[in-house]
């Protein structure tokens, strides 16, 4: 049963759906499981949402918003570009659970739905752009080697994060994630 204190029935439904999508994927997230986790009855659920697809979309959108907010908090803090990127990459996270957005990209029901996939695409595009902006600021301040394509570096950093999650889950240990992040940061600080 959903344990966090939420103010509204729709919030409880969305939060429960978010958790279930992360744990079980789209197919494994049944309306009954959502109702049980949220403590909301069937009538209330269908009063607020037309069905599982609409509720799943609200949950995916909220997950994407929270991921962007978390990243922005780390990337907007003062410091050099490398310090800011490092703070974001090394922030506390539940590595073995995987990225809630990245895990959804592996769900066939999600990626074949343009509506459910859109918030994922938008979030990864935003993250690549935001990292590229931070890296470009660092390049302008001579913190990062000139001539490097900051968009390509940002894309590589996102790939390192997502790949690090996959390797960590496969190993049952956060060590592969930590090594991937350390390696990416080491490359980022190299001078030609």
């Amino acid at each position: 049963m959903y344990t966090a204190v939420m103010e509204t029935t729709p919030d409880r439904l969305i939060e429960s759906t978010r958790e279930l999508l992360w744990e079980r994927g789209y197919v494994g997230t049944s309306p009954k499981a959502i109702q049980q986790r949220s403590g909301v009855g069937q009538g209330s659920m269908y009063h607020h949402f037309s069905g599982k697809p609409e509720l799943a979309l609200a949950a995916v959108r909220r997950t994407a918003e929270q991921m962007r907010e978390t990243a922005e908090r780390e990337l907007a803090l003062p410091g050099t570009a490398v310090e800011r990127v490092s703070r974001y990459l090394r922030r506390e996270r539940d590595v073995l659970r995987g990225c809630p957005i990245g895990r959804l990209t592996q769900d066939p029901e999600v990626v074949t739905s343009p509506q459910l996939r859109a918030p994922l695409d938008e979030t990864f595009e935003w993250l690549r752009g935001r990292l590229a902006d931070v890296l470009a600021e660092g390049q302008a301040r001579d913190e990062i080697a000139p001539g490097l394509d900051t968009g390509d570096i940002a894309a590589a950093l996102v790939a390192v994060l997502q790949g690090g999650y996959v390797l960590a889950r496969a190993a049952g240990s956060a060590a592969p994630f930590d090594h991937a992040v350390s390696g990416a940061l080491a490359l980022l600080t190299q001078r030609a």
Side-chain angles (χ1 to χ4, degrees), residues 102-122:
R103 295 225 9 221
L104 289 171
T105 66
Q106 298 170 34
D107 189 317
E109 299 295 324
V110 172
V111 296
T112 57
S113 166
Q115 294 82 16
L116 291 174
R117 192 179 64 244
L120 309 180
D121 294 341
E122 292 162 7

Side-chain angles (χ1 to χ4, degrees), residues 19 22 44 47 64 67 76 92 139 149 170 184:
E19 292 171 5
W22 195 4
S44 291
H47 171 74
M67 182 176 162
E92 188 174 326
Q139 213 169 36
D149 185 311

Side-chain angles (χ1 to χ4, degrees), residues 154-183:
L157 292 173
V158 172
V160 163
L161 276 177
Q162 293 305 311
Y165 280 122
V166 170
L167 295 174
R169 286 178 54 85
S173 165
F177 180 93
D178 295 338
H179 291 302
V181 166
S182 293

Side-chain angles (χ1 to χ4, degrees), residues 3-190:
T3 56
V5 176
M6 299 302 299
E7 294 183 40
T8 68
T9 297
D11 281 335
R12 288 196 344 245
L13 288 163
I14 291 169
E15 288 302 313
S16 296
T17 304
R18 287 180 63 224
E19 292 171 5
L20 289 164
L21 286 171
W22 195 4
E23 294 167 13
R24 302 178 184 183
Y26 186 84
V27 171
T29 301
S30 68
K32 183 174 183 169
I34 295 167
Q35 293 162 24
Q36 288 174 338
R37 171 100 29 127
S38 66
V40 172
Q42 182 177 0
S44 291
M45 184 173 122
Y46 288 106
H47 171 74
H48 294 288
F49 297 95
S50 62
K52 178 179 163 180
E54 183 184 15
L55 184 50
L57 180 58
V60 170
R61 283 183 177 150
R62 184 171 292 176
T63 298
E65 288 171 16
Q66 289 185 352
M67 182 176 162
R68 288 190 300 270
E69 288 170 5
T70 299
E72 183 58 32
R73 267 195 308 273
E74 299 295 335
L75 295 170
L77 290 171
T80 68
V82 173
E83 289 169 346
R84 292 160 61 199
V85 169
S86 178
R87 192 170 35 240
Y88 169 68
L89 295 177
R90 295 186 186 279
R91 74 171 177 78
E92 188 174 326
R93 52 184 95 217
D94 191 350
V95 173
L96 296 181
R97 280 190 79 193
C99 172
I101 294 293
R103 295 225 9 221
L104 289 171
T105 66
Q106 298 170 34
D107 189 317
E109 299 295 324
V110 172
V111 296
T112 57
S113 166
Q115 294 82 16
L116 291 174
R117 192 179 64 244
L120 309 180
D121 294 341
E122 292 162 7
T123 299
F124 285 128
E125 183 178 332
W126 175 86
L127 183 57
R128 285 187 301 269
R130 187 64 178 101
L131 286 167
D133 291 346
V134 170
L135 294 168
E137 290 171 22
Q139 213 169 36
R141 292 190 304 249
D142 198 35
E143 300 165 0
I144 296 171
L148 295 176
D149 185 311
T150 58
D152 287 349
I153 295 169
L157 292 173
V158 172
V160 163
L161 276 177
Q162 293 305 311
Y165 280 122
V166 170
L167 295 174
R169 286 178 54 85
S173 165
F177 180 93
D178 295 338
H179 291 302
V181 166
S182 293
L185 290 171
L187 291 171
L188 188 59
T189 59
Q190 293 298 308

